[in-house]
């Protein structure tokens, strides 16, 4: 059973900010690489950000570098995606995902567990 749950999505104006959260009631997030992906209507799911296990090195898609930040709070077992300076092209369903690997991988096929997603809509 996969217990990843995202929250924090919503409607925001261009230039605004949102923080997404991902929790798992059954497993410790820091033991695996954790990532955020997104999927807009009519488009394939794309990588947004990843944090490796344990010490947690991070990587980002070029389109979000400098605007988004991925972090993990081990005390609360929560993965975050802080999104700033949002653009209409950031509109998508955002998914939290867990890999069996500890490495900061970036392709959807490397991730086995997925949350149901949370909608982010950025108006112009």
């Amino acid at each position: 059973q996969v217990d990843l749950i995202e929250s924090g999505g919503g409607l925001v104006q261009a230039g605004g900010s949102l923080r997404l959260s991902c929790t798992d009631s059954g497993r410790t997030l820091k033991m695996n690489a954790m990532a955020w992906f997104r999927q807009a209507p009519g488009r394939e799911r794309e990588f947004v950000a990843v944090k490796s296990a344990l010490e947690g090195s991070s990587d980002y898609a070029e389109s979000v570098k400098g605007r988004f930040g991925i972090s993990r709070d081990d005390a609360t077992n929560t993965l975050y995606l802080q999104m700033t300076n949002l653009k209409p092209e950031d509109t998508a369903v955002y998914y939290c995902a867990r890999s069996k690997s500890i490495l900061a991988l970036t392709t959807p096929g490397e991730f086995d567990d997925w949350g149901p997603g949370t909608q982010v809509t950025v108006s112009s």
Side-chain angles (χ1 to χ4, degrees):
Q1 181 178 349
V2 178
D3 296 316
L4 293 173
I5 298 294
E6 305 93 340
S7 62
L11 173 64
V12 64
Q13 289 188 329
S17 300
L18 283 174
R19 188 178 75 163
L20 305 183
S21 301
C22 172
T23 60
D24 188 331
S25 61
R27 294 175 60 177
T28 303
L29 297 183
K30 72 177 182 180
M31 303 307 293
N32 300 81
M34 298 293 301
W36 291 96
F37 290 80
R38 66 187 182 187
Q39 188 166 18
R43 301 189 64 176
E44 293 191 355
R45 194 166 296 189
E46 65 173 359
F47 165 74
V48 175
V50 64
K51 180 170 283 293
S52 65
L54 303 175
E55 75 275 11
S57 62
S58 302
D59 194 12
Y60 298 90
E62 286 296 326
S63 60
V64 306
K65 278 184 179 177
R67 300 189 299 122
F68 290 12
I70 188 171
S71 62
R72 190 185 66 222
D73 184 335
D74 294 339
T76 61
N77 203 39
T78 304
L79 182 75
Y80 295 104
L81 184 69
Q82 180 68 50
M83 305 186 294
T84 63
N85 191 21
L86 282 160
K87 304 175 181 180
E89 52 263 43
D90 294 319
T91 295
V93 177
Y94 283 71
Y95 298 91
C96 172
R98 174 170 46 228
S99 175
K100 288 184 178 178
S101 174
I102 62 172
L103 303 175
L105 305 173
T106 63
T107 56
E110 300 288 349
F111 290 80
D112 305 291
D113 298 330
W114 296 82
T118 185
Q119 176 71 47
V120 172
T121 303
V122 185
S123 63
S124 56

